[in-house]
């Protein structure tokens, strides 16, 4: 969950989010080095007293400023392509659920189990107490086990939505008439908060997402109670 004055990414709760954070730091380091180098060159050009009016070309300099950016782009592109393949990889999920976006709430179906389907609405500010987070908590949370490979199938019934959990590294568009899917794996128990990240209408900011991560034994008990 995000907090006030947090300028960095949220703490990762999945292996994929850890890899995304590593790639973010890797790219940011390269950009920082380029910025420092260009700033140094610009400052030296402004403040030195050396003028060269007769030098018309320099093959060595042109080779350097052509080859160096190429290598920098390779250092960014290779881990980026690797992450893109990992994001699309489907590794025999143990559990599949379906999320349907509506204006303005989510509906969830546990496709592997019979008769488990529910709507998830944001809890009104009038109903809040100390156990809930304002504008983030819902009346029916998604209950899922941790240390389990999970597939979620996402669609919408009316307009475009986006199913997003930042701490898990998930952001998938919910498109009417189309099924999108992604896999995720949670490292630890806890509550993971997200929101619709597509501007879907007047109450766009009032359709949060909450995943409650529990042990596999507790999940089986919850399934038996709700079947």
């Amino acid at each position: 969950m995000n907090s006030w004055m947090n300028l960095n990414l949220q703490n990762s709760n999945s292996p994929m989010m850890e890899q995304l954070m590593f790639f973010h730091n890797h790219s940011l380091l390269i950009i920082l080095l380029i910025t420092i180098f260009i700033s140094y060159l610009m400052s030296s050009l402004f403040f030195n007293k050396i003028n060269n009016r007769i030098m018309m070309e320099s093959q060595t300099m042109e080779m350097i400023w052509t080859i160096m950016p190429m290598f920098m782009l390779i250092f960014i592109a290779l881990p980026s392509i690797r992450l893109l393949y990992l994001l699309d990889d489907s590794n025999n999920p143990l559990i599949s659920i379906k999320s349907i976006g509506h204006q303005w709430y989510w509906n969830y179906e546990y496709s592997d189990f019979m008769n488990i389907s529910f709507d998830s609405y944001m809890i009104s500010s009038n109903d809040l107490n100390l156990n809930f987070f304002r504008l983030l908590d819902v009346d029916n949370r998604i209950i899922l086990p941790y240390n389990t490979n999970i597939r979620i199938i996402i669609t919408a019934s009316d307009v475009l939505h986006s199913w997003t959990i930042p701490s898990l590294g998930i952001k998938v568009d919910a498109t009417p008439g189309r099924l999108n899917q992604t896999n995720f794996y949670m490292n630890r128990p806890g509550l993971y908060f997200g929101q619709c990240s597509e501007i879907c209408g007047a109450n766009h900011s009032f359709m949060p997402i909450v995943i409650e991560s529990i042990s596999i034994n507790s999940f089986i008990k919850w399934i038996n109670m709700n079947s």
Side-chain angles (χ1 to χ4, degrees), residues 51-64:
N51 295 318
N52 195 328
R53 295 178 299 171
I54 61 174
M55 188 179 72
M56 303 299 295
E57 62 175 325
S58 174
Q59 296 293 335
T60 304
M61 185 181 297
E62 291 180 5
M63 288 180 60
I64 290 174

Side-chain angles (χ1 to χ4, degrees), residues 157-188:
S157 65
D158 36 44
V159 298
L160 287 173
H161 299 278
S162 184
W163 201 86
T164 307
I165 303 288
S167 62
L168 298 180
I170 302 173
K171 186 179 186 296
V172 183
D173 285 341
T175 308
R178 178 187 175 95
L179 292 177
N180 292 326
Q181 73 170 16
T182 188
N183 284 27
F184 61 93
Y185 183 98
M186 296 178 289
N187 290 334
R188 57 184 70 89

Side-chain angles (χ1 to χ4, degrees), residues 29-127:
L29 178 61
I30 294 177
I31 294 171
L32 182 63
L33 292 175
I34 294 173
T35 304
I36 293 173
F37 179 66
I38 297 300
S39 299
Y40 169 74
L41 290 181
M42 293 294 292
S43 62
S44 64
L45 286 174
F46 279 120
F47 294 108
N48 67 27
K49 297 182 180 180
I50 300 174
N51 295 318
N52 195 328
R53 295 178 299 171
I54 61 174
M55 188 179 72
M56 303 299 295
E57 62 175 325
S58 174
Q59 296 293 335
T60 304
M61 185 181 297
E62 291 180 5
M63 288 180 60
I64 290 174
W65 72 38
T66 302
I67 293 175
M68 282 184 62
M70 180 183 70
F71 280 109
M72 291 177 183
L73 289 175
I74 290 174
F75 289 144
I76 294 176
L78 291 180
S80 174
I81 294 172
R82 171 178 169 271
L83 272 178
L84 286 175
Y85 276 103
L86 288 175
L87 287 169
D88 286 336
D89 193 18
S90 181
N91 295 320
N92 298 321
L94 184 64
I95 299 171
S96 295
I97 65 171
K98 185 177 180 181
S99 174
I100 305 172
H102 301 269
Q103 287 183 315
W104 288 271
Y105 64 95
W106 296 97
N107 174 266
Y108 298 101
E109 299 175 4
Y110 285 70
S111 307
D112 299 331
F113 309 98
M114 297 295 292
N115 301 323
I116 298 182
S117 176
F118 55 85
D119 295 331
S120 181
Y121 288 87
M122 186 188 73
I123 297 178
S124 173
S125 299
N126 298 327
D127 301 329

